């Protein structure tokens, strides 16, 4: 039977709708996000979590960029939390090369694990009995992302680690790092990394501080899978902060060509779904490894799944 033009258009529209549905990212678990203040070891911290979530949730530790106050990650943290994570954003202030400011270190994941264990049983905690204390994932920005790469590698290097050795906590399962590379600042070389956990690099194509070419080289230096690099069109170094060039941080020289809301949404979606995929979410894995690249015109993606 031949279909008339109207019928053919209806069938085509139905097929297109079905194809689009297949490509769509899994929705945020709970778009309503609550927030409270806490303390992780000696660091004041902001905690974001899905307000209506039931059961136990994994924790995502956000390791800030150099000199960026934690308050400027509120939109990004909320966006990640909506996908079903407890997002913890500490202000980690310490001395680095005679400068006392916000500089993440590799000891932060171990301190976050201590916080998880204590907060899950603390009377009066909004998260009492809701924390999956066996699952910690890492979010990183710039300097904080570089520190997280050291965690992934299980190695100790100044200025991210100041002890004689380093052991990654077993609770750390994966990392999604924005504006991050492992280029050595003095020598300009890139070290090979034996990443013991899955690592995703999220890189703005107009980043003027952490250059896109350096992220590409760093991706090749990750020796183990799974790994992924997500190139986000029109986004610069501060694409995940609430404002461009947050006060106190180094200024960005490259202009972002998409809105801040767009860059935060895109980056948070890819980071959250990559992390969920590593924790066993099949729908998230389908998106980040199979359908997402074609469905999202704002990114290009390269992955290694093993």
């Amino acid at each position: 039977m031949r279909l008339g033009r109207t019928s053919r258009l209806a069938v085509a529209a139905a097929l297109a709708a079905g194809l689009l549905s297949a490509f769509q990212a899994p929705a945020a678990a709970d778009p309503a996000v609550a927030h409270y203040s806490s303390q992780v070891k000696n660091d004041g911290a902001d905690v974001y979590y899905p307000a209506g979530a039931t059961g136990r949730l994994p924790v995502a530790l956000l390791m800030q960029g150099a000199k960026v106050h934690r308050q400027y990650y509120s939109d990004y943290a909320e966006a990640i939390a909506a996908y079903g994570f407890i997002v913890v954003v500490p202000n980690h202030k310490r001395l680095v090369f005679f400068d006392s400011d916000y500089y993440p270190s590799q000891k932060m994941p171990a301190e976050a694990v201590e916080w998880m264990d204590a907060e899950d049983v603390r009377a009066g905690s909004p998260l009492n009995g809701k924390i999956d204390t066996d699952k910690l994932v890492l979010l990183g920005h710039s300097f904080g992302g570089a520190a997280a790469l050291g965690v992934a590698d299980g190695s100790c290097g100044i200025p991210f680690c100041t002890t004689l050795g380093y052991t990654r906590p077993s609770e750390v399962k994966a990392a999604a790092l924005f504006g991050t590379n492992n280029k050595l600042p003095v020598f300009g070389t890139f070290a090979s990394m034996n990443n013991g956990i899955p690592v995703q690099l999220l890189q703005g194509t107009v980043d003027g501080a952490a250059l896109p070419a350096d992220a590409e080289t760093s991706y090749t230096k990750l020796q183990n899978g799974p790994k992924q690099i997500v190139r986000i069109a029109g986004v610069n170094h501060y694409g995940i902060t609430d404002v461009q060039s947050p006060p106190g941080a180094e200024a960005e020289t490259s202009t972002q060509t998409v809105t801040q809301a767009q860059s935060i949404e895109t980056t948070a979606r890819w980071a959250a779904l990559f992390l969920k995929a590593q924790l066993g979410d099949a729908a998230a894995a389908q998106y980040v490894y199979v359908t997402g690249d074609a469905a999202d015109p704002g990114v290009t993606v390269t992955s290694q799944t093993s």
Side-chain angles (χ1 to χ4, degrees), residues 6-94:
T6 301
S7 297
R8 292 198 305 271
L9 290 175
V11 170
L15 288 173
L19 185 61
L20 178 61
S21 176
F23 280 159
Q24 285 176 341
D30 184 352
V33 173
H35 161 260
Y36 71 100
S37 297
S38 187
Q39 189 84 8
V40 178
K41 200 72 173 181
N42 298 318
D43 301 336
D46 293 325
V47 181
Y48 303 81
Y49 63 98
T54 58
R56 292 184 174 271
L57 301 173
V59 171
L61 172 67
L62 199 165
M63 300 170 71
Q64 68 209 110
K67 304 181 181 182
V68 183
H69 192 282
R70 70 177 190 262
Q71 72 187 50
Y72 295 109
Y73 294 103
S74 63
D75 290 344
Y76 187 62
E78 286 185 6
I80 296 285
Y83 282 93
F85 291 95
I86 298 164
V87 183
V88 181
V89 193
N91 257 351
H92 192 69
K93 194 168 189 177
R94 65 188 179 103

